[in-house]
Structure formats: structure tokens, C-alpha cells
């Protein structure tokens, strides 16, 4: 293995959010947060909404991501997720209001299990965004 | 020679046709912009997904999931034919259907049975008039608005189910790939089984560590991949359709212009001829009186 660098690519259905060389990545895996350095052993796991951070050229960047998958190869980390947003893309007040509204909805009776599930998932997506603040 | 009135009538009919083609050109242009945007947005995601899956197919044990396993005997093939819902878009539909027919002929020559899934009203019409083909599923009226992910997911899940329980051994798709507003390519692609990527020189193809377990990860990931892939194909086709219609309507407008010019020329000639005739009549009448 000659490759020393670690290529990070984050793709969402809207765009290729990140594609660059990084020193390390921390990913919110479904089974817990994990960090990746170059020459990591191949690894495949679902990810859950949360904060993804990476270090490149000495500076640390943070993104909020949604449900998806992470594939780790010795020279590359590939993240496929529903969304990847920077702090500047998010309006925390608006997100908080949405969380409130959805939490209110959860209190209602007569929701089907699928509806409850989809509302919970949406709340988790929103809370992932709030983790950046 | 046609009378002046006939020519005039012809000119005005061509003019109104030209108005229609011009409008269709503009509408197709607006729709193309939208469709182009959605396919360009999805592509990076879909291609990364392909990359992930190809890398996975290289590493993972093919026995872990039926979508990965290549079957020794390929008896039954499924072909997904993606056409448009409407015509007036040049050779768009014809090209696809021709390619599909060639594919079926080739496969049958090798002793395989081909079953067809048709997307788009044009294709449905075509195959309903040709009973020699076996059509197992049709999906029409999906391109009038932006293609819905649910439609793609439904077809994808149907294919996965039939593939997994062994009714088909391979699945291919034929569609128009969107290259640019003036270029669309007919593509025939193998969807299943998933083709592994080539190993890089010197790379050890060790299997992944899966979390929580290989089974759970693959059971969710592979159907998701397949749905994304079908969705991408439909979006490609939608963008290509609008582009093809735009080109066709632009040509039609130009042709109409040419016809109008020619007819105007003929009309002017006829008018001149009739004026000359009238003058001749007047002059010869006057001459007759003079004598």
C-alpha cells in the first residue's frame, strides 16, 4: 500500500458535498461514532444522523449528515447520505421550531406506526443539524 | 398551376403549424432545464453508489447476497425498455425500440428466453402490437411531470423480487443517456447481477468488516442501490426526451420556414403571371379597337 493520503467524498442526492484529501474523519456510525485515519481496514456500515467532522490542512470542518452509508477503504472514505450541511446552511431557530412542531405531532393519538417512525426519523435529522451549534 | 387562393391557404396552414412547433420547442426547452438539473444533481450520488457497490462486489463473498451472485446458467433474461410517453421527439423512441429488438433477437439466438418490462406509453403501444414479445410489466404516464422516486422504487423492487426468486438470471436495461442538449446515446446496460469493479494493481481484496452484520448491511444497501440506479435511468431518459424533442421541433420550425419561403415565391410568381396576363388582355383589346 503506497497510498498515504485519505480521500474523503460525501455524496448526497443533491450534490457532491465534499471531495478532498483529509488527514482524518469522524463519522456518526449506526453502532457509534468512529474515527478513520489513512490505511484503515475496509469497513462498511450504515450511518445515522449526526455530526461528521474531518481535518484537512490543519483546520477542522464540521457537517451535519443524515441517514446513509459509509464505506471505508485504505485510501478512501465514501459517505452516501441524504444530506450534508454546513453550519452556514442551517438556521438553528427555524430547525428548533420544526422540532417543536414535530414533537407536538408525536403527542397526537391515532398515528400509524409508520407515521410515528417517519416523524421520529425526521426529528433525528433535524437534531443532527442542531449538533453543530 | 395552383390558384393563388390555394397557395395562400397553404401558406397560412404551414404558418400555424410553425407556431405549434415553435411553442413545443420552447416548452421542451423549459422542461429540459428542469430535467437536466435533476439528473445532474443525482449523478454524483448515483455514481458514488455504483462505485461503492462495485467495490463491495469485488470484496464481498458473492454468496452473501443473491444480487451479487453470478449464475452459472443464464436461461431467462429480463430487458427493461425505457421509452417516452409521447412522440414528436425525432428518432428517440425508434432508436430504443430497434435496439431492444436486436437485443431480444441476439439473446433468443443463444437460446435464452427474454421477458420485457416496458416504461413509457410509446413503448407500451409498440409492444402491444407485437405479440411475439413477452411483456411482463408496463409502466406508463410517468414522464408528464418530474419522474417520481416512488415509481422507480416500485419497478426496482419488482425486478429485485423476481431476480431473487430465480425467475430471471440476468437483467439489462436499454435507455437514452443524456449527454447534452444535442446529444443522447442509446445505452444497453447490465443491471443484475452486479458487476464487480476491477481490482487495483497490488490491492488486497479483503472483505469488509461489517457493522452490525454483513447480512443486515447488504439487505438494506443493495435494494437501495438498485432503486437509485433505476431512478437515475428514468431521469436520464426524461432529460434525453426533452432534449430530443427540442431538437426535433427546432428542425421542424426551420423546415416550416423554408416551406413558407418557397410557397411565397410560388405565390409571387403566380401573382405576376396573372398581372401580366391581365395587361396582355388589356393591351390586345386596345390594339383590336385601334385597327
Amino acid at each position: 500500500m503506497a497510498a498515504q493520503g485519505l480521500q474523503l467524498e460525501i455524496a448526497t442526492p443533491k450534490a457532491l458535498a465534499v471531495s478532498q484529501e483529509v488527514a482524518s474523519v469522524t463519522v456518526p456510525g449506526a453502532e457509534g461514532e468512529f474515527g478513520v485515519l489513512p490505511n484503515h481496514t475496509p469497513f462498511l456500515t450504515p450511518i445515522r444522523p449526526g455530526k461528521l467532522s474531518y481535518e484537512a490542512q490543519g483546520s477542522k470542518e464540521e457537517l451535519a449528515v443524515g441517514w446513509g452509508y459509509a464505506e471505508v477503504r485504505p485510501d478512501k472514505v465514501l459517505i452516501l447520505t441524504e444530506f450534508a450541511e454546513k453550519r452556514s446552511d442551517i438556521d438553528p431557530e427555524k430547525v428548533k421550531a420544526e422540532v417543536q412542531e414535530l414533537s407536538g405531532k408525536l403527542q397526537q393519538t391515532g398515528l400509524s406506526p409508520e407515521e410515528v417512525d417517519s416523524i421520529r426519523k425526521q426529528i433525528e435529522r433535524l437534531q443532527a443539524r442542531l449538533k453543530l451549534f | 398551376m395552383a390558384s393563388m387562393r390555394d397557395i395562400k391557404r397553404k401558406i397560412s396552414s404551414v404558418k400555424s403549424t410553425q407556431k405549434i412547433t415553435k411553442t413545443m420547442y420552447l416548452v421542451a426547452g423549459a422542461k429540459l432545464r428542469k430535467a437536466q438539473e435533476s439528473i445532474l444533481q443525482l449523478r454524483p450520488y448515483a455514481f458514488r453508489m455504483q462505485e461503492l457497490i462495485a467495490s463491495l462486489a469485488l470484496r464481498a463473498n458473492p454468496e452473501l447476497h443473491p444480487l451479487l451472485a453470478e449464475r452459472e446458467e443464464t436461461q431467462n433474461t429480463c430487458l427493461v425498455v425505457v421509452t417516452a410517453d409521447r412522440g414528436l421527439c425525432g428518432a428517440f423512441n425508434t432508436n430504443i425500440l430497434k435496439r431492444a429488438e436486436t437485443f431480444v433477437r441476439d439473446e433468443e439466438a443463444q437460446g435464452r428466453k427474454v421477458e420485457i418490462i416496458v416504461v413509457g406509453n410509446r413503448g407500451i403501444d409498440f409492444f402491444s402490437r407485437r405479440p411475439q414479445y413477452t411483456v411482463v410489466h408496463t409502466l406508463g404516464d410517468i414522464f408528464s411531470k418530474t419522474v417520481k422516486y416512488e415509481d422507480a422504487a416500485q419497478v426496482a423492487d419488482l425486478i429485485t423480487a423476481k431476480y431473487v426468486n430465480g425467475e430471471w438470471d440476468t437483467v439489462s436495461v436499454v435507455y437514452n443517456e443524456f449527454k447534452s442538449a444535442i446529444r443522447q446515446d442509446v445505452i444497453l446496460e447490465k443491471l443484475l447481477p452486479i458487476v464487480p469493479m476491477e481490482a487495483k494493481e497490488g490491492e488486497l481484496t479483503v472483505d469488509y468488516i461489517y457493522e452490525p452484520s454483513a447480512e443486515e448491511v447488504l439487505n438494506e444497501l443493495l435494494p437501495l442501490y438498485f432503486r437509485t440506479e433505476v431512478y437515475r435511468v428514468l431521469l436520464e431518459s426524461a432529460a434525453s426526451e426533452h432534449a430530443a424533442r427540442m431538437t426535433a421541433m427546432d428542425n421542424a420550425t426551420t423546415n416550416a420556414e423554408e416551406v413558407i419561403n418557397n410557397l411565397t415565391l410560388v405565390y409571387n410568381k403566380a401573382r405576376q403571371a396573372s398581372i401580366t396576363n391581365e395587361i396582355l388582355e388589356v393591351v390586345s383589346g386596345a390594339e383590336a379597337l385601334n385597327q
Side-chain angles (χ1 to χ4, degrees):
Chain A
M1 291 311 300
Q4 266 309 306
L6 185 65
Q7 179 80 12
L8 172 69
E9 288 198 329
I10 303 179
T12 71
K14 292 268 167 221
L16 185 60
V18 175
S19 173
Q20 68 175 109
E21 193 98 339
V22 297
S24 72
V25 197
T26 311
V27 185
E31 308 275 294
E33 197 170 77
F34 62 89
V36 181
L37 294 168
N39 280 332
H40 197 286
T41 184
F43 180 54
L44 184 65
T45 182
I47 61 170
R48 55 183 304 114
K51 185 171 77 180
L52 181 145
S53 57
Y54 59 92
E55 250 174 83
Q57 288 140 14
S59 72
K60 198 169 171 179
E61 304 281 342
E62 288 181 339
L63 291 171
V65 294
W67 304 92
Y69 288 90
E71 187 216 13
V72 178
R73 276 180 256 159
D75 56 347
K76 184 166 181 178
V77 178
L78 182 57
I79 311 270
L80 294 170
T81 176
E82 301 162 326
F83 62 87
E85 291 174 6
K86 286 199 279 278
R87 210 182 136 108
S88 54
D89 300 331
I90 303 166
D91 176 358
E93 294 310 317
K94 215 173 133 193
V95 176
K96 270 181 206 158
E98 270 180 71
V99 172
Q100 286 258 305
E101 197 194 316
L102 287 173
S103 312
K105 251 193 191 166
L106 267 187
Q107 305 303 320
Q108 287 170 16
T109 48
L111 290 174
S112 69
E114 289 85 34
E115 281 172 320
V116 172
D117 198 44
S118 92
I119 294 175
R120 286 232 171 93
K121 279 192 168 165
Q122 183 58 25
I123 292 180
E124 284 192 63
R125 283 181 196 117
L126 293 167
Q127 278 167 345
R129 292 179 170 104
L130 290 177
K131 279 184 188 153
L132 294 193
F133 293 89
Chain B
M1 194 189 257
S3 79
M4 279 164 60
R5 224 184 33 195
D6 285 344
I7 300 174
K8 220 171 183 176
R9 198 177 295 144
K10 226 179 198 167
I11 291 181
S12 78
S13 109
V14 176
K15 266 191 180 152
S16 65
T17 310
Q18 191 190 28
K19 254 185 208 155
I20 297 172
T21 57
K22 217 176 201 167
T23 315
M24 283 184 75
Y25 169 76
L26 293 174
V27 172
K31 285 192 171 166
L32 170 66
R33 264 192 293 281
K34 249 186 169 174
Q36 192 173 356
E37 204 173 287
S38 39
I39 183 64
L40 292 184
Q41 279 179 348
L42 183 75
R43 262 187 196 162
Y45 181 76
F47 288 158
R48 293 311 180 292
M49 182 74 101
Q50 276 177 2
E51 186 189 321
L52 194 166
I53 296 295
S55 160
L56 176 113
L58 171 72
R59 290 157 206 274
N61 178 357
E63 280 161 27
L64 275 178
H65 198 279
L67 292 188
L68 294 174
E70 187 133 6
R71 300 190 184 159
E72 279 167 22
E73 269 185 39
T74 51
Q75 289 271 314
N76 301 307
T77 299
C78 167
L79 179 68
V80 185
V81 183
V82 186
T83 62
D85 275 339
R86 288 191 282 162
L88 290 181
C89 43
F92 182 88
N93 292 310
T94 333
N95 285 346
I96 285 289
L97 294 169
K98 260 194 208 147
R99 187 75 188 82
E101 284 194 296
T102 330
F103 177 83
V104 174
R105 219 177 306 131
D106 290 351
E107 289 293 299
E108 283 178 346
Q110 293 178 45
R112 296 193 195 106
K113 241 179 67 196
V114 184
E115 295 190 319
I116 298 175
I117 294 181
V118 198
V119 180
N121 291 345
R122 283 279 139 168
I124 297 175
D125 284 350
F126 178 87
F127 284 106
S128 68
R129 278 183 272 112
R130 286 169 181 73
Q132 68 266 39
Y133 298 107
T134 330
V135 176
V136 286
H137 187 75
T138 59
L139 181 68
D141 290 322
I142 60 159
F143 292 114
S144 52
K145 292 195 187 96
T146 312
V147 183
K148 278 196 261 137
Y149 180 74
E150 290 74 34
D151 286 332
Q154 187 213 335
V155 182
D157 291 347
L158 176 106
I159 296 172
T160 315
K162 288 220 181 197
Y163 182 80
V164 168
N165 72 28
E167 279 178 60
W168 297 324
D169 302 314
T170 59
V171 178
S172 302
V173 61
V174 56
Y175 67 101
N176 274 293
E177 190 183 44
F178 179 75
K179 288 273 184 210
S180 74
I182 49 164
R183 189 159 160 228
Q184 304 90 39
D185 292 345
V186 175
I187 300 269
L188 188 99
E189 231 171 48
K190 198 169 174 192
L191 289 178
L192 294 175
I194 291 162
V195 189
M197 95 197 234
E198 307 254 327
K200 272 186 217 155
E201 189 107 3
E203 189 179 319
L204 290 171
T205 55
V206 277
D207 199 354
Y208 294 106
I209 299 169
Y210 299 91
E211 248 177 51
S213 73
E215 233 181 353
E216 273 174 77
V217 173
L218 295 184
N219 275 346
E220 294 234 339
L221 179 57
L222 292 176
L224 175 72
Y225 156 73
F226 199 58
R227 278 181 220 140
T228 314
E229 195 55 19
V230 173
Y231 186 50
R232 183 184 68 83
V233 164
L234 294 186
L235 283 185
E236 296 269 3
S237 178
S240 303
E241 177 193 340
H242 295 310
R245 181 164 299 123
M246 221 174 115
T247 317
M249 287 303 116
D250 191 30
N251 286 339
T253 312
T254 320
N255 286 346
E257 191 66 53
E258 207 173 289
V259 170
I260 291 170
N261 282 342
N262 285 341
L263 282 176
T264 314
L265 215 66
V266 174
Y267 174 78
N268 286 343
K269 264 189 198 156
R271 197 179 60 110
Q272 264 172 358
S274 81
I275 292 171
T276 315
N277 261 340
E278 273 168 35
I279 292 174
L280 270 180
E281 270 163 32
V282 171
V283 169
S284 52
E287 285 288 304
L289 282 180
N290 275 345
Q291 279 175 359

